[in-house]
Amino acid sequence: MKRLAVLLLAVLAASCAPGSPRQPPPLPPAPPTAAPDQFGLIPSQFADLPGWRDDAAAAVLPALNRTCDRLLKQPNDKSVGQNGMGGTVADWYTPCSAARRIAATDHDGARVFFEGWFTPFLAVNNGSADGLFTGYFEPELPGSRSKKGKFVVPILGKPRDLVTRRGADGSMESGRMVGGKFVPYASRAEIEAGAIATQASAIAWVEDPVDAHILHIQGSGRIRLEDGSVLRLGVAATNGLKFVGISRILRDRGLIEDASMPGVRAWLKAHPAQAKALMAENPRYVFYQTISGDGPVGSEGVPLTAGRSIAVDPRYVALGLPLFLDTVEPSGQPLRRLVMAQDTGAAIKGPVRGDFFWGTGEEAFDKAGRMKSGGRYWVLLPQRRSPRIAGIN
C-alpha cells in the first residue's frame, strides 16, 4: 500500500514538473457500430395481435379496395413486392373479390375475412420487433391560381429541364443535362433565389413561406382558392437532393426545445428573419401537379385513406399489403388497427418504420406533428401465395 502511494506521488510530481510534456487524455472508445438492418417475419396468430377484436376492422376496406383496383389491372404472374413477398397478382383475385362483399359496417365480418384469407407475421429487425412510428397529414392552405395581393409564395410545377433516370443502385435520381452530362439539379436555396425561373411555372400561390415549406415536407396538399373551390396537389417530381428536416436543423442550432411540427411551425413564424435561411438548409425541393380524386395519392398510386393508410420502407414491405399496427397516439392512447401500406417517404427508412396518415386539416396536423411513438406491426400475407416466389412458408 505504501509502495503504491509513493508511486502515485512520483507520477503526480512528474506531471506537474516545469517543461514536462502533457499527454492528451485517451480518446473514449468508439460507439459500437449499429448492426446492418436485417428484416425478418415471424409467423403469428391473430390472437397475438393486441386489440385485434376491438378494431373497427371494416373501416380499412375502402383502402383495401383501392389497392385491389390497382393490383388487379396488372399481369397475373407479376410479383407483389420484392421477391414476391405478397405472392403474385393472381393470388389476390379471390381475396379482393371477397372483400367487396363485406358491408361497410360489418366489423365482425371483416375480421372473419382477414382471418380466413391472411396470415399475420410479426416484422422484426435483427430479431427485434421494436420500431418507430411518426405521422403525416395533408395541409390545406389558402391560395390563388395567380400571384396577387398576399399570395406571393409560388408552388412550382415540374421544371422543363428536369431529367429523371435510374441510378446505378436501381433508385430514381433527378438532375439536368449540361453539356451532355447528367448533373445534380438546383438546390432549394438556388431555386428560391430564382435559378430556375425560366424553367418552372407556378401552379398556385400561397401566403406563408412556412406553410409552403410544411407542404413540401408532407408531399401533398390542398389549396383553398378564393372562390371556395379546392385545388388538390400531388408530387410531380423532386430535385433529387437529400432531405434535411427543419426540426433537426433547429435542434442542432439549439434554437428549439419543442421539436414537434406544431412547435417548429410556431418558432419559424415567430422568427421570420431567421426562418428563410434555416429552411433553405434543406436542399430538397418538391414540384407539384394538380390531381383529382378523394384524397392525396400515395406512392402506390392510389388515394390515401385517413386513419387507414401508412407509409413504409418498400425495400422491406410491399406496397399494397395490409398491416396491423400496435403503437400509441400523441395523447398516449393506444393506436391499434388495420392499415394499408400505400405510401413511402424520404425519412421512412428501416424494416420496422411507419408514417401514419392522419388526414387533412389542423386537427390532423396537430396529431401528425406530435407523433413519435415506439411500436410494432404485423404484415398480413395471403395464405395462398404462389410458392415459386413467395419466399415465406
Side-chain angles (χ1 to χ4, degrees), residues 48-351:
D48 300 329
L49 279 52
W52 169 248
R53 304 209 62 80
D54 299 325
D55 181 30
V60 80
L61 294 176
L64 173 62
N65 290 337
R66 287 170 173 170
T67 284
C68 287
D69 289 341
R70 179 198 64 84
L71 200 60
L72 301 187
K73 294 176 183 176
Q74 301 178 40
N76 290 353
D77 59 352
K78 182 177 180 180
S79 299
V80 178
Q82 293 189 12
N83 302 318
M85 178 190 220
T88 65
V89 169
D91 299 328
W92 287 77
Y93 274 110
T94 309
C96 284
S97 176
R100 296 189 187 282
R101 296 196 292 268
I102 303 170
T105 57
D106 187 1
H107 304 306
D108 289 336
R111 272 188 290 275
V112 170
F113 161 77
F114 282 103
E115 290 169 358
W117 287 102
F118 293 86
T119 300
F121 291 81
L122 178 64
V124 297
N125 184 16
N126 288 304
S128 172
D130 296 331
L132 174 65
F133 296 89
T134 49
Y136 68 118
F137 78 114
E138 183 186 34
E140 182 173 287
L141 312 179
S144 171
R145 289 184 181 272
S146 60
K147 183 180 181 180
K148 60 181 178 180
K150 61 185 179 180
F151 301 122
V152 295
V153 180
I155 304 298
L156 297 179
K158 182 180 178 180
R160 288 179 287 276
D161 63 343
L162 182 68
V163 177
T164 302
R165 70 175 190 181
R166 192 169 296 279
D169 62 353
S171 63
M172 302 305 295
E173 56 186 20
S174 299
R176 56 182 158 187
M177 303 303 295
V178 178
K181 294 183 178 180
F182 184 85
V183 300
Y185 206 73
S187 68
R188 172 179 295 278
E190 292 168 334
I191 292 170
E192 292 180 345
I196 63 168
T198 62
Q199 299 295 332
S201 300
I203 59 176
W205 298 80
V206 297
E207 177 181 1
D208 192 287
V210 172
D211 290 335
H213 193 83
I214 292 174
L215 174 65
H216 280 222
I217 294 171
Q218 298 303 310
S220 62
R222 307 199 309 181
I223 307 298
R224 184 163 294 280
L225 302 174
E226 297 156 294
D227 62 2
S229 62
V230 171
L231 195 64
R232 176 159 262 143
L233 306 180
V235 176
T238 77
N239 63 351
L241 301 183
K242 181 181 179 182
F243 170 80
V244 180
I246 184 63
S247 60
R248 173 183 163 187
I249 293 169
L250 294 176
R251 283 199 313 270
D252 289 349
R253 299 289 194 286
L255 297 173
I256 196 169
E257 292 184 4
D258 179 5
S260 67
M261 190 52 68
V264 167
R265 183 179 70 174
W267 190 96
L268 291 172
K269 291 194 174 190
H271 301 83
Q274 295 170 265
K276 182 176 180 180
L278 290 168
M279 291 188 295
E281 292 186 27
N282 171 23
R284 190 175 186 88
Y285 197 93
V286 179
F287 304 105
Y288 285 92
Q289 60 187 343
T290 58
I291 61 174
S292 59
D294 297 331
V297 176
S299 300
E300 190 195 7
V302 302
L304 303 178
T305 302
R308 294 291 170 170
S309 295
I310 193 169
V312 297
D313 188 336
R315 294 175 299 171
Y316 306 105
V317 177
L319 292 178
L321 289 181
L323 310 178
F324 188 81
L325 180 62
D326 176 22
T327 184
V328 294
E329 297 188 15
S331 65
Q333 293 296 313
L335 181 58
R336 295 167 172 164
R337 64 177 66 177
L338 277 164
V339 294
M340 294 294 298
Q342 294 179 320
D343 205 1
T344 62
I348 312 306
K349 303 297 180 187

